[in-house]
Amino acid sequence: MILWILVISTILLFISFVTMKNSWYRTLFVAVTGIVMLGSIWAIYDNDQNHLGMKKVTTTTSQVVYSASPSKALPLLLHQDVGTNGDHNVYIYKTSDSSKAKAQHTKADYRIHNRVVTSKTDVAQMQTTKREWVYKSNFTKLMFNGLNNHHLIKQTNTFKIPSTWYSLTTSQAKQLSKNMKAAQKQSAAQKAQLQTAIQQQVAAAKAKNPGMTTAQEQALAKQLAAKYQQAAIDKAVKAVQK
C-alpha cells in the first residue's frame, strides 16, 4: 500500500504543478502531496533499514530427530564445517526413522548457530529458537505489503542427544565406516576367541544360577554379544575422534 501512496502522491504533485493556477489552494495541495510523497519515501527507507512498524519476537519449537546412520547400533549426528575458518557448520540428521528417509541438514547461515548437548532422554530432539522481526499489526503489514516480515535476526538449533549417540564430522564418519568394514573381516581365530569368551561368561552365570533355562542362556549370550559389539564401536569411534 505504501508504494501506491507514493505513486499516487507523486502523480498528484506533478499534476498540481502543471495544471493548477497559482493560488493559495494550489500551494496547499502541493504542500500536502509533497509531504505525503516524502513521508512515503522515508517510511519505506525506515522500514527497510530500521524495521519501522515491526517488533522483535522470539519463538521456540522442538522436533524429534533420528540418526543419520543406517545402523541401529551406531546412532550418529553428523556435522560439517562451512567455510575455511570453522566458525560455522551444518548438522545432518533425519526427521524419520524410515530406511527410505532422506537426510536433512540445518541451513548454512551466519545468523544460525548450532550446538549439541547430551540429555538423559531416549530420543534425540532439535530445539529451535528463532528471533525475528514481525509486524506489530495487520495494518502495518498491509501498509508495507509484508516486506521483511519474519526477517531472521538470530537462530539457535540445540540438538539434545542421548548418551548412546555419537557426534562426528562427515570425514570422521567416512573413516569410521572404512574401519568398521575392515573390522568385520575377522579371522576365524578372532571369531572363535570371541565366541569362547561369551560361552565362558554364560557358563559362569549358569554356575551361579543352576536353574537357568536354555532360553535364558541364549538371551544372555545375545546380550553379551551386543555388549562386545558396542565396545568395539566405542573403540572405533574414539579412534577416529583423535
Side-chain angles (χ1 to χ4, degrees), residues 90-136:
V90 295
Y91 276 78
I92 304 167
Y93 56 92
K94 289 183 179 180
T95 55
S96 170
D97 61 350
S98 170
S99 58
K100 297 180 180 180
K102 293 184 179 180
Q104 310 286 326
H105 63 81
T106 57
K107 290 183 179 180
D109 193 312
Y110 71 94
R111 296 168 296 181
I112 298 177
H113 305 272
N114 303 292
R115 67 190 190 102
V116 180
V117 298
T118 303
S119 69
K120 295 181 181 179
T121 59
D122 295 330
V123 296
Q125 287 187 324
M126 180 178 69
Q127 185 181 65
T128 301
T129 302
K130 285 184 179 181
R131 190 161 177 79
E132 303 172 304
W133 285 105
V134 298
Y135 282 98
K136 295 178 180 179

Side-chain angles (χ1 to χ4, degrees), residues 6-239:
L6 174 61
V7 171
I8 293 171
S9 61
T10 303
I11 293 172
L12 291 176
L13 180 62
F14 175 77
I15 291 173
S16 64
F17 268 115
V18 174
T19 61
M20 295 181 68
K21 295 181 180 180
N22 195 12
S23 60
W24 67 269
Y25 55 85
R26 176 179 182 269
T27 303
L28 179 62
F29 194 80
V30 168
V32 171
T33 53
I35 290 172
V36 172
M37 183 190 71
L38 294 175
S40 300
I41 294 173
W42 171 82
I44 293 171
Y45 173 82
D46 203 44
N47 173 262
D48 184 61
Q49 297 297 316
N50 303 311
H51 301 92
L52 176 67
M54 307 180 78
K55 62 182 178 180
K56 294 179 181 178
V57 173
T58 300
T59 57
T60 300
T61 58
S62 296
Q63 71 173 116
V64 176
V65 294
Y66 299 89
S67 169
S69 167
S71 172
K72 298 292 184 181
L74 186 60
L76 290 178
L77 177 65
L78 301 178
H79 61 275
Q80 182 173 350
D81 290 339
V82 178
T84 56
N85 56 11
D87 291 339
H88 300 281
N89 48 47
V90 295
Y91 276 78
I92 304 167
Y93 56 92
K94 289 183 179 180
T95 55
S96 170
D97 61 350
S98 170
S99 58
K100 297 180 180 180
K102 293 184 179 180
Q104 310 286 326
H105 63 81
T106 57
K107 290 183 179 180
D109 193 312
Y110 71 94
R111 296 168 296 181
I112 298 177
H113 305 272
N114 303 292
R115 67 190 190 102
V116 180
V117 298
T118 303
S119 69
K120 295 181 181 179
T121 59
D122 295 330
V123 296
Q125 287 187 324
M126 180 178 69
Q127 185 181 65
T128 301
T129 302
K130 285 184 179 181
R131 190 161 177 79
E132 303 172 304
W133 285 105
V134 298
Y135 282 98
K136 295 178 180 179
S137 65
N138 288 331
F139 173 76
T140 53
K141 182 180 179 181
L142 178 64
M143 181 64 68
F144 294 101
N145 198 32
L147 185 66
N148 292 326
N149 197 27
H150 293 287
H151 177 74
L152 183 64
I153 302 170
K154 183 181 179 181
Q155 176 177 323
T156 301
N157 299 316
T158 302
F159 289 91
K160 299 179 179 180
I161 60 174
S163 58
T164 53
W165 278 49
Y166 304 97
S167 181
L168 300 176
T169 66
T170 51
S171 58
Q172 287 174 338
K174 289 178 182 178
Q175 185 60 48
L176 177 63
S177 178
K178 292 179 181 179
N179 294 350
M180 294 294 288
K181 287 180 180 179
Q184 287 176 352
K185 299 177 181 179
Q186 294 179 328
S187 64
Q190 289 174 319
K191 291 180 180 179
Q193 184 180 7
L194 176 60
Q195 192 63 32
T196 300
I198 293 174
Q199 290 174 353
Q200 287 176 347
Q201 292 186 59
V202 171
K206 188 173 182 179
K208 291 182 180 179
N209 182 16
M212 285 183 67
T213 64
T214 302
Q216 289 175 325
E217 290 179 28
Q218 292 175 345
L220 178 58
K222 187 176 180 181
Q223 182 181 355
L224 290 170
K227 183 179 178 181
Y228 278 114
Q229 182 187 25
Q230 192 61 51
I233 292 174
D234 289 340
K235 184 178 179 180
V237 170
K238 289 178 181 178

